[in-house]
Amino acid sequence: MSATQISAAGKVLKVLSAFDREHPSQTLSEVAQRTGLALSTTHRVVAELASWGVLERGEDGAWHVGLRLWEIASGCPRTQILRDVALPFMQDLYEVTHENIQLAVREGTELVFVERIAGHRSVELLTMVGTRFPIASTGMGRVLLAHAPREIQEEVLDSPLRAWTPHTVVDPKALRTQLDRIRREQVFVSDRQLSESTVAVATPVRIGRTGPVSASLGIVITADGASRARSLREPLLRAAHGISDELGRRTRTTG
């Protein structure tokens, strides 16, 4: 479809999609280049988005995402209830471990990080709230993949997998075995699969103790402290079970 055939809504979405973690601030020309839209069209769309507060212009003249977009996104019901329920348990888990605590959900064949707690002594991460990764890239993603519908699993297994480090499991047969083990053992230790400096310990969060998997809860520690991974299993499970129980209770109450 050519730029002239894109609907008005499609042009708005293309402009918004031009802004991401790698491109948080852009000039009008850069937005036009990234979207493939004519400069005049880009100017018109950006001006309208700015009038709504969805885009804002900095002192340097470049554009960035506005506060209004954050306000709209924060009302997403899929993550709002989850984050409201999970945050107290994540805070308790942080107090016990003083490590990075993360919460992620699956969207198609990707995972999206929706909440995070980190201390100033915690290991530096590649992941941030709002970032997406291929679902097989992280320990939390592999937990979500293990509990995803069969067609999602097959789509991922049939696609080339990126080896982020020499430790990343990319062989489809080995990954199938890994996913089976995740389903059996509840807690998965991802040893330097996304970064050679980190180890993640992850477990599913359900709607109710035995309900469908809603999210993945994880602790990320430095690879030098990998021997601690086993000791993190119980506090991680307690937090995940607490979140699951509360999500189940709210579902029953609202249902």
Side-chain angles (χ1 to χ4, degrees):
M1 179 180 290
S2 68
T4 57
Q5 295 174 306
I6 301 173
S7 67
K11 293 171 185 176
V12 168
L13 292 173
K14 282 180 75 70
V15 167
L16 290 177
S17 297
F19 295 88
D20 54 27
R21 296 285 182 182
E22 287 72 38
H23 306 88
S25 180
Q26 301 174 71
T27 65
L28 196 65
S29 296
E30 289 170 336
V31 175
Q33 184 176 9
R34 280 179 54 77
T35 60
L37 298 173
L39 186 60
S40 58
T41 301
T42 304
H43 181 276
R44 185 171 63 253
V45 174
V46 167
E48 188 166 4
L49 290 172
S51 71
W52 296 339
V54 174
L55 291 180
E56 297 175 356
R57 196 172 191 176
E59 293 182 0
D60 59 355
W63 293 93
H64 56 83
V65 171
L67 186 60
R68 179 58 180 156
L69 188 59
W70 177 83
E71 292 173 342
I72 295 170
S74 65
C76 173
R78 181 182 174 194
T79 58
Q80 184 179 26
I81 294 174
L82 173 65
R83 291 171 64 239
D84 288 347
V85 168
L87 195 54
F89 294 97
M90 293 176 68
Q91 290 169 336
D92 288 346
L93 185 57
Y94 173 77
E95 289 302 320
V96 171
T97 64
H98 291 285
E99 301 287 358
N100 290 291
I101 312 299
Q102 295 184 302
L103 186 70
V105 298
R106 180 181 66 83
E107 185 170 65
T109 58
E110 297 179 313
L111 84 158
V112 181
F113 289 92
V114 297
E115 190 58 87
R116 171 185 170 187
I117 297 177
H120 65 275
R121 293 191 302 274
S122 303
V123 63
E124 186 175 351
L125 300 180
L126 296 176
T127 55
M128 299 175 65
V129 172
T131 55
R132 293 170 176 263
F133 277 83
I135 198 166
S137 299
T138 73
M140 295 175 68
R142 295 199 177 197
V143 166
L144 291 169
L145 181 60
H147 296 279
R150 180 62 62 182
E151 61 268 21
I152 295 293
Q153 295 182 20
E154 294 305 320
E155 182 178 350
V156 172
L157 289 163
D158 289 343
S159 302
L161 298 175
R162 175 177 173 179
W164 294 81
T165 76
H167 307 279
T168 308
V169 175
V170 295
D171 176 70
K173 184 176 180 180
L175 181 53
R176 285 184 190 277
T177 300
Q178 191 177 78
L179 296 179
D180 287 339
R181 188 170 71 250
I182 290 171
R183 285 188 288 269
R184 289 195 310 270
E185 298 180 358
Q186 297 187 71
V187 175
F188 172 56
V189 177
S190 177
D191 186 0
R192 296 167 291 169
Q193 295 204 62
L194 179 63
S195 165
E196 291 202 71
S197 63
T198 60
V199 169
V201 188
T203 194
V205 170
R206 299 178 179 272
I207 301 176
R209 191 66 66 93
T210 59
V213 171
S214 173
S216 178
L217 180 68
I219 305 172
V220 184
I221 62 176
T222 176
D224 294 340
S227 58
R228 292 187 58 211
R230 183 177 295 275
S231 69
L232 298 174
R233 174 186 172 90
E234 289 308 315
L236 178 65
L237 280 175
R238 282 198 302 272
H241 290 164
I243 298 169
S244 299
D245 289 344
E246 182 60 18
L247 284 175
R249 186 190 68 77
R250 292 206 185 189
T251 300
R252 291 191 301 271
T253 301
T254 58

